Amino acid sequence: LDYLTTLLNETAEETRRISHNLSPMVLEKYSLSEAIILFVQRLKLKDDQTPKIYTSIGNLPSNLPIILSVSIYRIVQELVQNAIKHARAQSINILLNSHQDKVLLIVEDDGVGLPQDWENNPRGGIGLKNVKTRVSLLGGNIVIQTGLRKGTSILIEAPLLQNNSS
């Protein structure tokens, strides 16, 4: 009975996690900028060992399509979590802005960096592969600059999608 209770609780938690991943509720209530700031604040409240996280969020249109907002939000979450968990970063910078018809996102950390063969390693890099897939689906570009003990800098450029049907 204890095992089944544990299994049921784990299943409920996983279902909740998947549900939140599909459409984060925070974006129903707040703008993308506010959602990212809240995400960072929650990380800091959750664990006093969280590295310093700096955000610089500039000129974003108020009517971003939900698909773009969700994608950028999830990308930021993934990259920040990677920097904390895998790179053991002491400092993370998140820069988000739009210029003309593009959204620009830069996430930099001072962590351990990535090994040269991270993309070919079947056991690692699934988070970054998911980020690359999201960027590709948005019709964007991603540039990853990294080196062992040199940190990682990720630049993402995606078109501002038209908000026809959100």
Side-chain angles (χ1 to χ4, degrees):
L1 186 59
D2 287 341
Y3 172 74
L4 290 176
T5 302
T6 301
L7 188 60
L8 183 60
N9 287 336
E10 288 174 1
T11 302
E13 183 61 35
E14 182 68 10
T15 302
R16 189 176 306 113
R17 187 188 65 74
I18 290 169
S19 171
H20 285 292
N21 279 340
L22 292 174
S23 180
M25 295 167 101
V26 70
L27 287 172
E28 292 175 13
K29 203 172 187 182
Y30 300 102
S31 70
L32 175 59
S33 303
E34 294 167 323
I36 290 172
I37 291 167
L38 284 170
F39 165 68
V40 169
Q41 288 173 344
R42 287 182 184 143
L43 279 176
K44 290 177 182 178
L45 288 174
K46 182 176 159 185
D47 184 1
D48 61 355
Q49 299 299 315
T50 299
K52 292 179 179 157
I53 303 173
Y54 303 97
T55 57
S56 176
I57 302 174
N59 177 31
L60 292 178
S62 59
N63 63 342
L64 285 176
I66 192 68
I67 187 73
L68 182 59
S69 293
V70 169
S71 295
I72 295 295
Y73 182 76
R74 291 298 181 209
I75 288 168
V76 167
Q77 283 184 311
E78 180 67 38
L79 296 178
V80 169
Q81 295 290 2
N82 281 355
I84 293 170
K85 183 176 179 182
H86 302 296
R88 298 184 301 277
Q90 298 300 307
S91 160
I92 302 167
N93 293 313
I94 303 167
L95 300 110
L96 179 62
N97 207 344
S98 66
H99 180 68
Q100 296 175 346
D101 60 346
K102 295 183 185 202
V103 173
L104 305 170
L105 171 66
I106 300 172
V107 179
E108 299 175 313
D109 69 66
D110 64 355
V112 298
L114 296 167
Q116 279 186 316
D117 67 341
W118 72 268
E119 287 186 276
N120 299 322
N121 184 344
R123 294 184 50 200
I126 189 76
L128 278 177
K129 289 175 186 169
N130 288 340
V131 167
K132 289 177 92 173
T133 299
R134 282 185 189 270
V135 172
S136 177
L137 291 171
L138 291 172
N141 299 306
I142 183 169
V143 175
I144 301 173
Q145 295 178 324
T146 188
L148 284 177
R149 294 178 292 284
K150 294 183 179 177
T152 302
S153 178
I154 299 174
L155 166 66
I156 295 169
E157 191 178 77
L160 279 171
L161 306 171
Q162 297 299 315
N163 195 6
N164 295 335
S165 62
S166 298

